[in-house]
Amino acid sequence: MAALDRLFKHWPIAAFVISAAMVAIAHGFQTFGHLAPCHLCLKQREVYWVALGVSAIAVLAGFTRIGAPAPRIASLILAVVFAYGVYLAAFHAGAEWKWWPAPATCSSTGAVSAADLQALLSGAAHTAPACDQAPWRFLGLSMAGWNCLLSVGLVGLSLTAAARPGREERAQ
């Protein structure tokens, strides 16, 4: 229980580390696994970039005189950010399972090399990754499915961290 208490006490730091890890993992799949991200994949990464920013501001605010409510406020904001991540990931996973159509904007804006540009200029066809096709699955779930489950957990952890007594309440 002490480990969970520490986790919730320092939730903005933990959320920062988890968000950084998720961005790094996504880039790792892209760089080393050669899995180009589709439009919805890139949108899901944005959630973690926002969470990184919210967490960093909360951690920095904790070092100021008015920083006592920062972890609770940040935890509530993080819950909303991660809830949006649940929505995006669930929508993406549903599109992969053909439960609904993928958006018309489903195209990749991933990195392009000079050789890719030369090939395009020479008339080669280029197809962007489709949002409705999962290029990788583990235990039956795509990356979007796993991201949805993780995001649900992050919402729960954020809400739990926000609900625990703050410094000022524990002092009474």
Side-chain angles (χ1 to χ4, degrees):
M1 227 31 194
L4 277 179
D5 262 356
R6 272 185 298 222
L7 173 71
F8 294 131
K9 182 179 178 184
H10 302 292
W11 179 242
I13 295 170
F16 183 91
V17 170
I18 292 167
S19 296
M22 289 301 291
V23 169
I25 289 167
H27 284 289
F29 271 102
Q30 180 179 346
T31 303
F32 303 111
H34 304 291
L35 298 175
C38 69
H39 175 71
L40 290 175
C41 292
L42 294 172
K43 287 291 187 193
Q44 289 173 79
R45 289 182 194 182
E46 290 174 7
V47 169
Y48 293 107
W49 284 110
V50 171
L52 279 165
V54 170
S55 300
I57 290 168
V59 170
L60 293 174
F63 292 112
T64 67
R65 290 186 304 153
I66 59 169
R72 176 170 288 169
I73 294 167
S75 295
L76 289 172
I77 294 170
L78 286 167
V80 172
V81 169
F82 291 133
Y84 182 64
V86 170
Y87 161 74
L88 279 175
F91 181 79
H92 191 183
E96 291 172 341
W97 286 104
K98 312 292 189 260
W99 294 342
W100 43 74
T105 59
C106 188
S107 63
S108 176
T109 58
V112 177
S113 69
D116 293 335
L117 289 174
Q118 183 61 39
L120 285 173
L121 291 172
S122 299
H126 174 73
T127 56
C131 295
D132 62 353
Q133 297 173 4
W136 179 90
R137 290 190 189 272
F138 179 70
L139 299 177
L141 289 179
S142 66
M143 285 184 269
W146 285 108
N147 186 28
C148 183
L149 292 178
L150 177 72
S151 295
V152 167
L154 292 172
V155 169
L157 289 169
S158 295
L159 290 173
T160 303
R164 63 182 299 280
R167 280 184 256 169
E168 64 282 351
E169 295 170 27
R170 285 191 301 266
Q172 293 176 353

